[in-house]
Amino acid sequence: MGDELEQGTELLELVKAAAGAGDLDGAQALAESIPLRQSRDQALVSLVPAWARAGRGDRAVALAERIRYPHNWGWAWALLAKATADRGDIAEALRFAARADDEARLCAVDGMEELLGLLVDVAVATGDHDRAAELADRVEEMARSRNPHGWCKPRPLAMVLAREALEGDFRRLDALLRPQPESAVRAGGSPCGWALGEPGDQGMVLEGDLDASAASPVSARLPLGARDMACLLDTVDENADLDVALALADRAETLLETGDGRDHNVLLKSLTLLLARHGQVERAMVLTEGLDLDLSVAQQADMVGELARSGDTDGAEALAHTITDRRAHDRALIEVVRKLVLRGDRGRAEVMTRLIDDGWAQGEALLAIALGMARHGDLDAAETLTRSIACRGTRARALAALVELSEPPRARRLAAQVVVLGGWEAVLPVLERIMPRSVAVVADRTTS
């Protein structure tokens, strides 16, 4: 590669592949050979938690101390704190988290909200809930200060709100759903305190409507918009209690009704998927009735997938067969097939696959079945089944997945077939396992 930045990016991926395969010494040697300093720094940062997870905390600390650029220091120590907390070393995790916070305060960090969100996870994992709440406040403040009329990078704050909601705490969310009158915004865009509600007015509400200020349209902006709320709903998985899911759904519907219409369909999609994940299909279907046909059937196909993943394959199949659009119908059946395979019901999955007419869609379903066979040890049958996949790209992906599950001799043979069908990219993540030190060899040839 002639482009140094592109080369650095690819070598960084090779480092991660080697580390993922367990060759940490080779990964570090490769990282240190990267010519571009920023890419080398990023590669070393990615190895800090890998050494910690491998039980080599001393090596991880030494590597964190060697990170060159100050804007990477916060990330290195935060990742080390999380890996250490996951291993159960509370005292060291807290020490590393404090170091990460100090470094981030001293130097601007790309993705500061994400870093603080990671430190929230560390605080929760170590049982320091006061610290977690303080960090969550900073995530919110930072997200809103960058854009007072909507989030800039919603994911970290969405994770904070989701965690609080799962604990039954809706105070922060409800404060963000209160309209903020224009007169409540100071010069520079920061909100006056009363616009977010007084402390005594932020009690937990699991049922019922939001307060009256959020129940009627006003000439005001909401601190939290439709796209932001959609991100929050997407973050809440099927393991949430039904009461929590319904409480969030009620708030999302209120926002749809009283919002200004921007990103309406984005929020509507996330809302219907949340409801489907929790078995509330009828309510979700009602919400899609006013949509254009193309958008409606697409959302119904997505709902089938969520319903199948929640375990209700019978309901998912029945809903799939009500979809009149052929492409959406096939996409919905693929999702049901995938879930059936995970449940071990391969016979029913194969019957359903034969109902799919489109060649590409049928290939996706066959891929899922082949993976199910391979995971249960029937690699010969899985390999034979992949031969019936018509689409070359899908067949390459199927064979690449079999490489991961095969012993080295078979894996190398399958990997060669994948390269012929679709190039090296598909087998790169498993290359180190089937051919030890191959990543380092590739790197040596690239950098020589």
Side-chain angles (χ1 to χ4, degrees):
M1 293 179 178
D3 186 290
E4 191 177 45
L5 179 60
E6 184 180 358
Q7 182 191 70
T9 300
E10 293 301 318
L11 289 172
L12 172 59
E13 292 305 311
L14 286 170
V15 168
K16 292 178 181 179
D23 183 7
L24 294 178
D25 288 314
Q28 185 163 334
L30 173 56
E32 291 169 345
S33 75
I34 298 177
L36 191 65
R37 287 179 174 177
Q38 172 59 8
S39 296
R40 186 192 316 159
D41 234 31
Q42 291 174 330
L44 294 176
V45 168
S46 72
L47 289 175
V48 169
W51 280 114
R53 286 192 294 268
R56 294 293 306 276
D58 55 338
R59 189 80 176 262
V61 170
L63 190 56
E65 296 282 7
R66 289 180 49 204
I67 304 299
R68 179 185 182 93
Y69 293 113
H71 64 267
N72 290 323
W73 293 346
W75 271 112
W77 291 105
L79 290 167
L80 178 54
K82 182 63 168 64
T84 306
D86 290 343
R87 288 181 59 83
D89 192 341
I90 304 302
E92 284 290 85
L94 290 173
R95 184 168 69 87
F96 296 145
R99 175 77 178 269
D101 196 4
D102 289 343
E103 298 292 1
R105 289 178 188 271
L106 290 173
C107 182
V109 174
D110 289 337
M112 177 66 87
E113 294 97 326
E114 287 88 346
L115 189 151
L116 291 176
L118 183 59
L119 293 181
V120 172
D121 289 340
V122 174
V124 171
T126 56
D128 191 348
H129 296 289
D130 290 339
R131 177 64 172 160
E134 177 194 339
L135 289 164
D137 290 341
R138 288 169 58 192
V139 172
E140 178 190 347
E141 180 183 1
M142 183 164 293
R144 295 183 59 197
S145 65
R146 292 196 178 187
N147 183 358
H149 305 315
W151 302 346
C152 226
K153 294 181 178 179
R155 187 69 178 174
L157 186 50
M159 294 180 71
V160 166
L161 292 170
R163 179 181 291 108
E164 292 176 346
L166 292 173
E167 295 172 352
D169 183 355
F170 288 79
R171 291 173 295 176
R172 189 189 307 275
L173 175 59
D174 287 345
L176 290 169
L177 286 170
R178 291 190 179 93
Q180 179 183 317
E182 297 296 335
S183 59
V185 180
R186 303 189 187 103
S190 61
C192 297
W194 68 266
L196 297 181
E198 297 300 328
D201 189 36
Q202 293 181 356
M204 183 183 73
V205 180
L206 264 176
E207 299 178 357
D209 297 328
L210 300 177
D211 62 46
S213 65
S216 59
V218 294
S219 57
R221 287 187 175 93
L222 292 176
L224 183 142
R227 188 175 291 272
D228 310 324
M229 187 69 176
C231 187
L232 167 58
L233 299 187
D234 293 343
T235 305
V236 177
D237 63 23
E238 65 275 7
N239 294 321
D241 290 341
L242 180 59
D243 287 345
V244 169
L246 293 179
L248 288 170
D250 290 341
R251 287 161 170 78
E253 282 200 62
T254 299
L255 184 56
L256 284 173
E257 294 166 1
T258 61
D260 59 11
R262 288 179 298 182
D263 299 318
H264 177 278
N265 287 342
V266 174
L267 176 54
L268 181 58
K269 177 179 179 180
S270 295
L271 174 56
T272 55
L273 295 183
L274 174 75
L275 291 169
R277 279 200 297 274
H278 292 273
Q280 306 294 304
V281 178
E282 291 184 4
R283 180 174 172 182
M285 292 290 286
V286 169
L287 290 170
T288 65
E289 288 177 354
L291 296 173
D292 294 339
L293 180 60
D294 288 346
L295 191 56
S296 176
V297 295
Q299 291 207 11
Q300 288 172 17
D302 290 334
M303 287 162 54
V304 168
E306 293 298 330
L307 193 58
R309 282 188 285 276
S310 72
D312 185 3
T313 51
D314 291 335
E317 182 180 359
L319 181 57
H321 288 310
T322 67
I323 300 175
T324 55
D325 180 83
R326 176 53 57 183
R327 292 179 62 185
H329 174 265
D330 287 346
R331 185 158 64 87
L333 289 180
I334 291 171
E335 294 299 329
V336 181
V337 167
R338 287 171 176 162
K339 182 59 183 179
L340 288 172
V341 170
L342 289 176
R343 288 178 53 182
D345 195 348
R346 199 174 78 193
R348 186 176 167 194
E350 291 177 352
V351 170
M352 196 169 296
T353 298
R354 288 195 287 271
L355 300 176
I356 300 175
D357 295 328
D358 179 76
W360 175 87
Q362 188 178 76
E364 291 294 315
L366 290 171
L367 185 154
I369 295 172
L371 285 181
M373 291 176 172
R375 291 191 186 105
H376 285 86
D378 197 352
L379 286 164
D380 290 334
E383 185 177 346
T384 299
L385 186 61
T386 60
R387 312 295 177 197
S388 64
I389 298 176
C391 177
R392 283 175 63 94
T394 308
R395 190 159 73 250
R397 285 169 45 222
L399 290 171
L402 296 186
V403 169
E404 289 194 69
L405 300 169
S406 301
E407 293 300 317
R410 182 197 290 268
R412 286 191 285 270
R413 176 173 58 79
L414 294 176
Q417 296 175 32
V418 174
V419 172
V420 171
L421 286 169
W424 281 97
E425 184 176 357
V427 295
L428 183 58
V430 296
L431 194 59
E432 185 71 11
R433 185 181 69 80
I434 63 175
M435 298 179 65
R437 304 292 298 164
S438 57
V439 171
V441 172
V442 172
D444 288 342
R445 294 184 179 180
T446 302
T447 57
S448 61

